[in-house]
Amino acid sequence: MIKGTKGLMLLSVSFFLSGCGFNEEEAIEKSTNQLEIFLTLHEERERFSDLDNDDLQARLEEDVFPYLTESYQEKITEEIEKYEFNTDAVFSKNLFFLRESEESYDNGVFWQEFKIEESNVNPELETVNHSASIESISTITPSLVEIEMNIEDGEWKLNSVEEGEW
């Protein structure tokens, strides 16, 4: 009876421990779903905010920040504080999903749609890297970005962005 109980306990512990590891398939599925939701928060060329740092920051905090890690939020906040509208400045790769309109058009900041091209898991870091390309051709913003996602507060979130290469 004691041997049977020990065997059952060992079997139960091994099942429990095997379920605690990083599941690559689940990581790709959940991070992809979360990224797709993020990339389609707004329609292509939908006006996102006025050409005003405070308005843009408020809209980002409301709509976008729930999808970003805290460190990525800090990078974007620092960039928005220093950004000058109606100059030759262009948003960095960190704001790949936004574009400032030209003065001759309906002044504002507009959403840019990207689509996911490829996804890769890094099991050692427990991250997923997604390649995403812009839906429309742009000479201003990168046409391909590499988005790293990881789990923060139990949710898959965008952690960093690099310009991709075709």
Side-chain angles (χ1 to χ4, degrees), residues 29-44:
E29 179 183 340
K30 288 187 174 185
S31 67
T32 300
N33 289 342
Q34 189 75 342
L35 182 56
E36 285 176 346
I37 291 168
F38 172 77
L39 294 175
T40 58
L41 284 173
H42 296 276
E43 298 290 321
E44 173 71 16

Side-chain angles (χ1 to χ4, degrees), residues 91-153:
F91 290 127
S92 79
K93 66 184 179 330
N94 292 321
L95 291 163
F96 69 95
F97 49 90
L98 296 178
R99 179 174 172 217
E100 180 183 348
S101 71
E102 296 177 24
E103 278 189 82
S104 58
Y105 295 103
D106 184 21
N107 279 345
V109 176
F110 294 86
W111 193 263
Q112 296 192 107
E113 282 190 18
F114 279 72
K115 66 178 179 180
I116 300 170
E117 298 289 341
E118 185 179 3
S119 302
N120 297 298
V121 176
N122 184 331
E124 291 83 33
L125 297 176
E126 296 188 357
T127 61
V128 179
N129 297 307
H130 299 280
S131 298
S133 64
I134 193 165
E135 289 287 319
S136 59
I137 296 174
S138 173
T139 57
I140 298 172
T141 57
S143 60
L144 183 71
V145 291
E146 301 292 333
I147 303 166
E148 180 188 86
M149 296 184 72
N150 64 359
I151 295 177
E152 185 175 273
D153 300 327

Side-chain angles (χ1 to χ4, degrees), residues 1-11:
M1 177 77 173
I2 294 176
K3 287 184 181 182
T5 305
K6 283 184 180 180
L8 186 58
M9 285 176 47
L10 286 174
L11 187 60

Side-chain angles (χ1 to χ4, degrees), residues 61-80:
E61 288 174 5
E62 180 182 332
D63 289 0
V64 173
F65 279 14
Y67 296 90
L68 310 179
T69 61
E70 286 185 29
S71 62
Y72 194 19
Q73 291 174 24
E74 290 170 9
K75 285 180 196 175
I76 287 178
T77 297
E78 288 173 13
E79 183 172 334
I80 296 303

